Each structure stands twice: as structure tokens, then as C-alpha cells.
Amino acid sequence: MIILFVVQIFIAYNIVFEPGWDAGGVYNSAKIFVNGNRADIVIRYPFSMYPNNLLLLFIESAVISFCNLFANENEVVQLMVFAVLNSMINVAACYLTYKSASLICKKEIAFAAFILAVLNFGLSPWNVVFYSDSLGLVFPILTFYLFMKPNKTEKMNWISKIMAVIAGCIGYNIKPQCLIMLIALFIIQFFSCLRNKKKLLQIVMLAGCFIFSLITIKTSINLICEKNQIVLDSNQRLGMSHFLMMGNNEEGGGLYVGDDVIYSKSFATPQERKKANIQRTFERMKDMGIAGYLRFLAKKMLTVYNDGTYAWGGEGNFFMVVFPQPDNHIAVFLRNIYYADHKYYDIYVTVMQSIWVFVLGAAALSGLGKENRQEIIVLMLSIAGLTLFEVLFEARARYLYTYAPVFCILAAIGIEKLNSEIKKKSRL
């Protein structure tokens, strides 16, 4: 783990840059926040439209404040500290991939899951972009592990599950897709507890903990905004109906479309916006027809699942500010690999695509056999929920990144099951 962490930091040091798009918008807003112009951050980034990024803003502001204690607003130092935090999260996700797989498989298969994790996302350049995708990487797998791991006492079992719920809620406020894992856990636990009133009561109490956690986090964010004179216009919030409409835009392929944002902003109130968005969504589906809509969904899913780099470099102004590279040959080599349109970038994409296709193919085999353990069903259900989310709403290949550990565990399980099936047939 230490070696992986050191390698990640070394890569980050040699390729660090300031991103554009939303990641850069939040980062620059955090710098404004730290410098005291806190009421002006809504001008730098549309937090009224995307309030889910407020928690990320406050986290980045705290990190920048810490960096300024010894680096006096040095952006390279700030970005490197973010990279260190990302790397810590990444290493934790790799470790939890192994620990979670150990709950289901033999140690050697769990180690295979760890190796796949290192290859698939452990050395990912996403570590140098401190945004909801990289920050949210640890939450689904942490939620799963805390909820499903065995405990020696009933008290520890309760503590572990409560921590899982809190982790899921924090993850939701960083990346909404993180909540899908907690939903999958609740669904499976609910059906398994229908005949056990004691366990059913546990689920009800955990649901209460979930609601309390969400309210607490929301209230805390509102208090920080109030204290720092950050005034959001609730009428500007786009809401899920907007992303549903954008996710069904055939011309845009179900991805981000600027014209859809302009359309949603043209309505004065959330109620009017919601009604118009839903109406346009159904109009688009009707215009495509059943066959056309199915073709559209197939293309959309291909866009989402056909990128082993998780759409690295795919956002606008991705490499906003590129800093002078360190004076060594390795820096040149690494930038040629990870920077789009550089010498070895196509090779990097091909390698990552090959690994991703292998992971997806092996994960598809995880459902082999007549019966599956509860843990496997939870993992598969979370991926099904994630896929449904991508089908319905605005889609991005990078939205899969937070569930990369789950894909790697399912891939290892698929390898184990395939090997078992081959052995069975060889005995016949």
C-alpha cells in the first residue's frame, strides 16, 4: 500500500495541472472563499444551480487554508496537497476492495481483485483532479464493507452499520451516485429480514439514522453558508428533472448540453422548471419512438461504458493551466502518457481500454451459478442501479469511477466462478 501511495504521489508531482470545467470552478471559488470574498463565490461558480458542490467547496477551502499556513497561496503546493488527499483516498479504496472481496472469496481471489483495482484505477491520473469523482471513490465501497463485515458483538454490529449509513450520506453530498450502494444494501436487507421482526426493526432504525444524517449534513452546510454570507437563490436550482431531460436529448447523446441548461434557466421557479423539463422529456421520448429510443439508450450506454480512462481529458478546458514540468526525463515520459494528444497518450488509452474490457467481461461472469451470496447480490444490484441512473439521467463515463472498486470485486468473483465451472466440466 505504501509503495502504491508513493508511486501515485510521484506521478502527480510530474503531471500536476490546474483543471478547468467544474473542478476548476469549485477550486477557484474555494480560493475566493479563503481570501475573504465569500459572498462573491456564487458569481465565480453557479452554486445556486448545483448546490451539491457546496460540501466540496468547504472541504477545498479548508485544505487551501491549511496550505496557506506554509506556502502563501502557492497553487502548485495546493494542487499537490489535493493530489496527496486523492491518493490517500485511492489507496484506501484499493485496500477496501481487497477487504470487501475477502468477505466473499478466498484470499487469492481477493488479492486478484486488489490487483485489478491497482490496474484499473490505482494508478489513474484522476488523482490529480480533486473533484467529486475522485473524492467520492471511497464511499460506495466503504459503505458496503462497513455494512456487510461480520462483527464480534451486537454493539459493534450496530456501530459498524451506523457508520456505513453516515458514510453513504456523506458520499451522497459529494457525489449523488454514492447513495446507490446504500439503497442496494437497504433493499437486500429489507427482503432478507421480512420474516425476522428484530432485523426488520434494525432496518427501520437505520433508515431513521439515514434521515437524521442527511438533515444534519444539510443543516450544517446551510449554517456555514449563513455564517459566511453565502446567499443561494433556490429558484435557480435545476433539480433532477433537468438532468432527466438532458439525459434524453438525442442530439446530445444523453450527455451535457448547454442549450438544455439555458432552457431550464429560462423558467423562474422550480415548479415551472420541473413541469417543463418533464414535458420536454416525454416529448423527446415520443419523437424517438420505441425502436429509436432503444437505439438511443444503446448508444448512450456505449458512450458511458466504452471508456477505460473514465473519460479522462473529456471535459471542456480539461488542462486549464499546465505548469512547467520538473527537470527530469521521467516527467517528460509521464506527461506524454497522461496528457491528451501527447506522444504516448493513445497507447495509454489502449492499455486502459483493454483492462476495462477485461474487468467488464469478468464482472459479467459474476452471476454464474444458481445461487449467489447476499454480498454478491448487493454488489450486482448497486451496478444495476448505477446503470439505471446513467440510462435515465445525464450520463458521463467518469460517473462510473466511484464504483470502480465494485467492478473489480465482481470481476474477481467472475474469474473464480469461471475457473470453478471449467474444473467441473473437466471432471465430467
Side-chain angles (χ1 to χ4, degrees), residues 246-254 284 287-288 292-293 296 299:
M246 194 153 52
N248 285 278
N249 187 326
E250 185 177 16
E251 292 183 6
R284 287 173 171 176
D287 290 342
M288 283 186 274
Y293 186 63
F296 163 72
K299 290 180 181 178

Side-chain angles (χ1 to χ4, degrees), residues 5 8 22 24 54 82 95 102 127 137 174 177 192 201 215 224-225 288 300-302 317 359 371 373 393 400 424:
F5 179 71
Q8 289 174 348
D22 292 85
L54 281 170
F82 285 132
Y95 175 73
S102 297
N127 279 343
L137 177 66
I174 291 172
Q177 290 91 325
S192 67
L201 178 63
I215 293 174
I224 295 173
C225 287
M288 283 186 274
K300 186 178 178 183
M301 286 300 96
L302 185 62
N317 298 318
V359 168
E371 296 182 1
R373 292 181 55 172
F393 302 103
L400 301 182
K424 285 181 181 179

Side-chain angles (χ1 to χ4, degrees), residues 317-362:
N317 298 318
F318 197 88
F319 301 91
M320 177 64 79
V321 179
V322 177
F323 302 103
Q325 67 187 21
D327 188 19
N328 63 72
H329 295 296
I330 296 179
V332 176
F333 177 71
L334 289 173
R335 293 191 179 203
N336 277 329
I337 291 175
Y338 292 120
Y339 277 23
D341 300 326
H342 277 50
K343 190 174 181 180
Y344 304 125
Y345 183 72
D346 288 342
I347 297 175
Y348 162 71
V349 172
T350 302
V351 171
M352 295 309 298
Q353 190 71 1
S354 300
I355 294 170
W356 179 233
V357 169
F358 177 82
V359 168
L360 285 180

